[in-house]
Amino acid sequence: MRRFLYENGLSLAFGAIFLLALVLQSVAGWREVIEQQLTHGDPAPGYWAFVQSSQFWLPVMENWQSEYLQFSLFIFLTVWLVQKGSPESKELGKEGAESEKDQQIGRHAGEDAPSWARGGRLRVAIYSNSLGLVMTTIFLLTWTAQSVTGWTVFNEEQRRHGQAAVSWIGYLQRPDFWERTLQNWQSEFLAVGSMAVLAIYLRQRGSPESKPVGAAHEATGVEG
Amino acid sequence: MPRRPTAGGRRGDVTHAPARGSPVRVAGNNLTMRVVFAAYLALISAGIVVAFVVGLTHR
């Protein structure tokens, strides 16, 4: 058990603080809804009813989709674009998908290579892009889930104000959908861009997200 | 950030010295890596499914 905790500490720690934050978000969101309902003189939902509502899942999906978009873009753009001096970038001159030898695929695959890296053009092609494909799929699914939960919340507001409900397609053309989407995208783009740029001149000793403390500012694609 | 594999593991675990930028193979049971991989995919999938069900049933 100690070995399991040691070898998987990073993913377990993030998993734990994710669940804690999600529970705290649900409690804070529920209390906010109670305050709003009391202000309007409406009956307040119970906690379990709230966590089974679109009011809770809409902001969850909003944030998930933007995070997966951020990583999907980062995965794909770093194949082709570089940033001199950044540990998040490949070395200058290595832009592109790189050779089979560099990527250890096909006849260059080692004995311990994943079987999908060894043979079959289609299998190698799929496995070569599997990380980006899965992250992009999660982005598209969570963005669609945001639109569906947002549609339900939007129509509930319409009903409250005595206005007609809109179709899902109609909701996709509403400012509400795009404001929720873009407010998350802009912050993710800034965060990932600043991570790539700030790490040119700043260091975090011991972190693989940083260059070694003594590395030159011009050193690119070097990890601590 | 998505990372390329980096050196690591406990003393005695590294089975060969890595070339720069090469993955380091750590001996031992890989089952735990599969467990966390499957757990993360299950967590994400469950969240997406629940959100779709909640939204599509207009709750």
Side-chain angles (χ1 to χ4, degrees), chain A residues 3-4 6 8 11 14-15 18 52-54 57 61 68 71 88 112 141 148-149 151-152 195 208-209 221 223, chain B residues 1-4 6 9-10 13 20 23 25 27 32 36 40 43-44 47-48 50-52 54-56 58-59:
Chain A
R3 189 177 176 98
F4 173 76
Y6 167 74
N8 301 283
S11 50
F14 270 104
F18 158 72
Q52 294 172 55
S53 73
S54 292
W57 285 96
M61 287 299 111
Y68 285 99
F71 280 107
E88 302 300 336
D112 55 357
L141 286 173
V148 170
T149 49
W151 173 46
T152 292
M195 181 70 190
E209 301 302 325
E223 294 158 11
Chain B
M1 296 291 158
R3 309 301 305 178
R4 293 179 290 282
T6 51
R10 297 198 300 197
D13 280 343
R20 171 91 187 98
R25 183 176 174 82
T32 62
V36 291
Y40 264 72
L43 193 63
I44 297 161
I48 293 171
V50 171
F52 268 108
V54 165
L56 290 172
H58 304 293
R59 293 187 192 187

